[in-house]
Amino acid sequence: MSMFRAGVAFAALALPLGAAAAQDAQPEAPETFGEIVVTAQRRAQSLQDVGISVAAFAGEELKSLGVESSLEIARLTPGVHISGNVGGQNSQFTIRGVTQNDFNDAIEAPVAVYVDDGYIPNLQGQTFGLFDLERVEVLKGPQGTLFGRNATGGLVHYVIKKPSDTLEGSIDGTYGRFNQVRIEAGIGGPLSETVSARVSVFYNRHDEIWKNIYPSGAAAGAPLNLGQEVSPCCEDEWNDDTLAGRAQLQFKSDRLTVRLVGAAARQHLSTGPYTQAATVPVVDSLGRVVNAIYAGPNETRVGIDHNGNNYTAFPGAPATRLPGADWFGFIAPDPSKRLVSKDFAQSDLNRTESWNGALHLDYEFDGATLVSISDYKKFTKNFSMDVEASPLSLVEYGTKANTRSFTQEIRLTGSSDTLDWTVGAYYLDIDAKSSNGFLAPAYSIYSSLLGATTTGIDLVNTFRLKTQSGSIFGQVEYKFAPQWTFIVGGRLIREHQEYEFASNGIVDEDPYRIDTGTILFPLQPSFADKRTKTLWAGKAQIEFRPNDDLLLYAGINRGVKGGSYNAKLPDGTPPLDPSDIPYKPEVLLSYEGGFKSTLMDGRATFNGSVYYYDYSNYQAFTFSNVSGFVQNRDGRTYGAEADVALRPTPGLEIGLAASVFNARVKNVQIAPGVFETVRPTFAPQTQLSGRISYELPTDVFGGALTIGVDGNYSSSFYHNIRNFDANKINGYALFNARVSWTDASEAYRISAFVNNFTNKTYKTVGYDLSTLCGCTEESYGRPRWWGLSMGYSFR
């Protein structure tokens, strides 16, 4: 089955049963793209009929493109990027520069992620296995009218395969580089005339990518006083061991459908896979850090003052640095050779676990559908990493979190010849508990500074954020003339939050884990607060369809993300003033216009949009020293996007997409009393993607052989909103190739792939520690990755 045919076949699953049957009855038209169906407006529509910038990918299409993780959707979708922390082990989506890279585990993202209509409430829940999917929809721009929570920048929805009325199943296995083993399987079908079920499983593991060559890396003449090793020491890093499963039971009568879902997943990983680069802080005449640069091979200054001279007035700074090294005489090994040198490194330490239970009810009235979704999720996390990413025992970072959420949504949808409408209510309850901070093992530099040389000590923030949010919403699409439609919608939100914060020195019981047992002394003042806010989102849009092949739209959309609370780490700098701990909701007012066109008798589509964002109280996370906090600032963004898909001849498919935008956040405090207009983080101003595939005739090789290549380009971006020189990650281009064979019955398939076949070494995440160690933590994307996949399906 070709990439296109798989996409159409699986998109058809989103149609109501009668519509899908009608589509199946039509003769196949292999030279056209057919109808891709999405539910971006909470009902089944052709992608070309939705006046939103939407990217949609069928599950089988993602397999054919070699997409292995949920976050790889970004490489296929210009305007969408990835931010993250813990060396990329926690990641989230950025859409059109709208992001939040605070690593506080109680924080929600402004780009909402849904799995099977269930909201993912936290950052650690957004890295999950991509398995047994019907399709993925990426909606750009505010989506708060119809989706229940924090969809300011957009939304990513993973639509899973559901139980069917016929027995069907599939299994796919991959063996790849670094001894990767990946297995995805699902089977489902009827248990009786009214009951059906589906079970799916997912497993992925690979060996460590970073080889640890501890204690190598000392600069010439460096004593590199390492301190006492924490046992076990110095293992290789950057692996994966993920196991997940999902079970569904469905009852279906003439009007009522009841579906019960249970899912669980666990992930075992190494310590956070960072390396480092030597950097130099730059200060102004008042000693305020206003820039950071990479240290050249002959650099000996600890810092640079306003006259260009050596500046050493940082706590714990040496008088000078060895040429090209960090403050402690360490030069990191070449990352292109996949080498690190770290004392605090375990290959099997970090853990995440998740559980999900949901009940979906659908009842068909005459002319309307009632939907109820009850969803419970629980996430646990326990992560640690080496702060300065070197063989020196300086200080480490750890976090553990426990988050529970419950959502209840009820919506009623109906339609007539001239009117489509949706009304509903939504309730969310989140209880997020987290402890994070610094691990100072025995004989580390920090433990010695704190008088705990032989025992070690943990410097821990413990906080709890309880959020309850209720809303009512509605949207109406009125066809007031044969070619014209007016859309208006809104959501009214009432939100209550309760926050408790404490910061203490804790007895170190496990040098590899954050401890929360015996308190020794307070580090920062405790804080508690309660607040209730009323928020609203809204949409007004006009659409014009001059003919069946062209849609024009323009609209105004107001998105809102709830406020939250800072939990600044105890890094030795003054704690935040109590008034700076709560921060406000952010509001995004979007003006957008676009078009969707079908050309060449259905063999091509060409879509585009332009937009302007007016941001109020943007939640700007600012990282400095070894901690960070959110400050509310205003901003603006303007940009344009376009995508082309065409099938000029049978078997040949081409896709091209581009995104360009200019985003600025105003008056951001980059140092005490220093304010600048800056670019938001993880927001490349230019992104391009392209793919081409060709399917040889089915009588060749006893089936169909498809050859495909895809690539994507991202321009430079910053990992820190201060926009220092050493915070900038250079642009890069990645290319992937794949050859696939499917037998004539379309039951068996074999494919070989090479991802990043140019073996590009590129950075993805960073943390500026220039004033802690004269270095910056940096994480990298995957090196060249090859593999062989085999699969079988039946129905």
Side-chain angles (χ1 to χ4, degrees):
M1 181 181 289
S2 72
M3 201 180 301
F4 156 72
R5 292 174 186 163
V8 172
F10 278 75
L13 292 175
L15 288 168
L17 185 58
Q23 179 171 312
D24 291 343
Q26 300 298 318
E28 184 179 5
E31 295 185 4
T32 67
F33 278 98
E35 186 177 44
I36 305 299
V37 176
V38 296
T39 53
Q41 296 292 291
R42 294 298 200 183
R43 69 180 193 276
Q45 291 177 280
S46 167
L47 180 65
Q48 293 300 99
D49 289 337
V50 180
I52 299 174
S53 182
V54 181
F57 306 94
E60 292 300 304
E61 183 181 10
L62 295 174
K63 288 182 183 178
S64 70
L65 290 169
V67 174
E68 292 191 351
S69 77
S70 57
L71 295 163
E72 286 186 66
I73 299 299
R75 74 172 168 89
L76 304 176
T77 315
V80 180
H81 200 64
I82 297 298
S83 65
N85 54 66
V86 198
Q89 291 180 344
N90 277 358
S91 299
Q92 63 168 314
F93 291 98
T94 297
I95 297 182
R96 294 174 172 175
V98 180
T99 189
Q100 172 59 273
N101 61 312
D102 190 352
F103 48 84
N104 181 332
D105 285 303
I107 298 303
E108 299 172 74
V111 175
V113 176
Y114 283 74
V115 179
D116 191 26
D117 268 329
Y119 173 63
I120 305 292
N122 52 0
L123 301 187
Q124 70 257 32
Q126 293 189 20
T127 302
F128 50 86
L130 190 79
F131 72 103
D132 206 30
L133 286 177
E134 181 179 300
R135 69 184 181 279
V136 178
E137 300 175 11
V138 181
L139 284 59
K140 302 176 186 178
Q143 305 298 325
T145 301
L146 289 179
F147 288 87
R149 182 68 179 172
N150 288 351
T152 312
L155 179 135
V156 181
H157 189 193
Y158 296 88
V159 182
I160 67 172
K161 291 183 182 179
K162 301 175 180 64
S164 64
D165 297 329
T166 59
L167 181 64
E168 62 177 8
S170 66
I171 183 169
D172 290 271
T174 299
Y175 179 79
R177 193 179 183 190
F178 300 100
N179 290 316
Q180 181 194 24
V181 175
R182 188 180 193 274
I183 299 171
E184 176 184 346
I187 186 170
L191 301 179
S192 69
E193 291 185 357
T194 58
V195 179
S196 57
R198 186 171 186 88
V199 177
S200 50
V201 294
F202 172 76
Y203 175 71
N204 185 64
R205 56 91 49 212
H206 63 76
D207 291 342
E208 294 75 22
I209 297 174
W210 288 122
K211 180 175 177 56
N212 196 345
I213 57 172
Y214 171 92
S216 299
L224 209 60
N225 184 13
L226 302 178
Q228 181 172 299
E229 299 172 357
V230 178
S231 180
C233 170
C234 327
E235 297 179 350
D236 297 339
E237 290 185 321
W238 194 2
N239 53 9
D240 184 33
D241 184 351
T242 300
L243 178 64
R246 182 188 302 124
Q248 303 176 72
L249 186 65
Q250 179 172 283
F251 167 82
K252 193 171 185 179
S253 66
D254 290 340
R255 291 179 176 266
L256 177 65
T257 301
V258 180
R259 183 165 58 93
L260 184 64
V261 184
R266 66 104 177 113
Q267 191 172 41
H268 294 179
L269 306 165
S270 70
T271 41
Y274 280 106
T275 184
Q276 67 136 280
T279 52
V280 189
V282 179
V283 302
D284 63 11
S285 59
L286 298 179
R288 299 173 298 190
V289 178
V290 294
N291 197 7
I293 64 172
Y294 284 107
N298 299 315
E299 181 63 71
T300 59
R301 292 170 295 183
V302 171
I304 301 173
D305 68 15
H306 63 289
N307 293 316
N309 299 319
N310 187 30
Y311 183 86
T312 62
F314 301 106
T320 185
R321 77 166 77 206
L322 292 170
D326 71 6
W327 286 356
F328 302 100
F330 174 67
I331 298 176
D334 185 353
S336 68
K337 297 179 180 178
R338 305 189 309 278
L339 300 175
V340 292
S341 181
K342 300 164 68 172
D343 66 316
F344 189 87
Q346 274 196 38
S347 61
D348 184 18
L349 181 71
N350 290 352
R351 298 282 192 274
T352 61
E353 294 182 352
S354 63
W355 296 266
N356 173 224
L359 177 65
H360 298 249
L361 303 176
D362 296 67
Y363 188 82
E364 299 287 342
F365 295 96
D366 293 333
T369 302
L370 178 67
V371 175
S372 171
I373 302 168
S374 308
D375 186 271
Y376 172 82
K377 288 183 171 64
K378 179 181 178 181
F379 299 95
T380 63
K381 166 186 170 182
N382 206 330
F383 275 24
S384 297
M385 54 175 281
D386 190 337
V387 165
E388 82 292 343
S390 80
L392 180 76
S393 183
L394 177 63
V395 69
E396 331 302 345
Y397 172 79
T399 178
K400 63 180 179 180
N402 187 319
T403 303
R404 293 180 174 88
S405 70
F406 174 77
T407 60
Q408 175 64 57
E409 181 168 4
I410 298 175
R411 64 177 182 266
L412 185 65
T413 302
S415 64
S416 64
D417 291 340
T418 60
L419 199 66
D420 293 293
W421 53 271
T422 299
V423 295
Y426 180 82
Y427 173 75
L428 167 72
D429 189 303
I430 304 174
D431 188 357
K433 304 173 186 177
S434 181
S435 297
N436 71 338
F438 301 114
L439 309 169
Y443 301 100
S444 65
I445 291 177
Y446 257 59
S447 66
S448 298
L449 292 175
L450 294 168
T453 302
T454 60
T455 60
I457 190 171
D458 289 357
L459 313 176
V460 182
N461 286 348
T462 299
F463 50 91
R464 182 177 188 179
L465 177 61
K466 299 172 70 175
T467 301
Q468 293 179 317
S469 178
S471 60
I472 54 174
F473 61 92
Q475 181 166 300
V476 175
E477 299 185 25
Y478 175 50
K479 299 177 181 64
F480 63 91
Q483 297 172 316
W484 292 88
T485 301
F486 180 67
I487 302 173
V488 62
R491 178 181 292 265
L492 183 63
I493 308 160
R494 186 70 168 174
E495 186 166 287
H496 178 73
Q497 294 175 309
E498 298 181 10
Y499 183 68
E500 298 176 354
F501 170 86
S503 182
N504 295 292
I506 305 290
V507 171
D508 179 30
E509 298 175 1
D510 182 345
Y512 269 103
R513 294 293 192 195
I514 278 287
D515 293 302
T516 57
T518 305
I519 296 175
L520 297 175
F521 49 80
L523 296 168
Q524 301 181 83
S526 298
F527 178 85
D529 188 42
K530 297 180 181 180
R531 62 179 177 179
T532 302
K533 296 287 186 180
T534 300
L535 312 171
W536 67 275
K539 176 179 182 176
Q541 183 163 304
I542 189 80
E543 298 182 354
F544 175 59
R545 184 177 284 282
N547 55 61
D548 290 341
D549 294 330
L550 179 62
L551 171 67
L552 305 174
Y553 63 92
I556 303 173
N557 206 333
R558 187 184 196 270
V560 62
K561 175 181 181 289
S564 194
Y565 294 86
N566 282 304
K568 184 174 177 289
L569 291 173
D571 63 351
T573 60
L576 292 175
D577 186 271
S579 64
D580 292 327
I581 294 177
Y583 54 88
K584 301 175 183 177
E586 62 180 21
V587 177
L588 174 59
L589 192 61
S590 167
Y591 305 86
E592 182 165 354
F595 66 90
K596 294 194 171 183
S597 60
T598 303
L599 310 168
M600 299 170 58
D601 296 325
R603 289 177 292 151
T605 61
F606 177 35
N607 303 331
S609 64
V610 295
Y611 57 90
Y612 179 85
Y613 286 175
D614 185 0
Y615 234 129
S616 298
N617 289 320
Y618 175 84
Q619 295 170 0
F621 178 70
T622 309
F623 186 85
S624 62
N625 194 39
V626 68
S627 184
F629 66 99
V630 171
Q631 50 182 305
N632 288 114
R633 295 293 184 263
D634 293 339
R636 63 101 183 111
T637 300
Y638 57 84
E641 297 167 344
D643 65 84
V644 178
L646 65 156
R647 188 183 179 93
T649 61
L652 178 62
E653 299 175 13
I654 301 171
L656 300 170
S659 169
V660 293
F661 66 82
N662 183 293
R664 295 293 184 269
V665 185
K666 304 173 185 177
N667 207 34
V668 172
Q669 180 175 291
I670 66 166
V674 180
F675 299 86
E676 293 188 3
T677 295
V678 296
R679 287 168 54 182
T681 54
F682 299 100
Q685 296 189 141
T686 302
Q687 289 179 271
L688 308 171
S689 73
R691 45 187 167 135
I692 182 170
S693 69
Y694 181 68
E695 180 186 296
L696 279 69
T698 57
D699 58 353
V700 177
F701 304 105
L705 184 69
T706 302
I707 302 171
V709 177
D710 70 88
N712 64 94
Y713 166 77
S714 292
S715 63
S716 63
F717 57 92
Y718 291 95
H719 62 72
N720 190 318
I721 205 167
R722 296 196 295 176
N723 286 191
F724 292 170
D725 290 345
N727 302 159
K728 190 174 186 178
I729 293 180
N730 293 330
Y732 54 85
L734 304 175
F735 300 94
N736 313 298
R738 196 173 189 93
V739 178
S740 304
W741 174 84
T742 304
D743 78 315
S745 70
E746 298 185 344
Y748 297 92
R749 52 194 173 271
I750 301 174
S751 61
F753 64 89
V754 182
N755 293 336
N756 187 11
F757 61 71
T758 63
N759 203 29
K760 176 69 176 178
T761 301
Y762 62 101
K763 301 173 187 176
T764 58
V765 182
Y767 280 98
D768 185 351
L769 305 176
S770 299
T771 58
L772 176 77
C773 55
C775 66
T776 291
E777 292 177 326
E778 295 179 334
S779 185
Y780 285 77
R782 274 187 174 188
R784 180 188 294 123
W785 201 285
W786 54 262
L788 178 68
S789 299
M790 301 179 67
Y792 170 73
S793 60
F794 67 90
R795 61 174 305 161

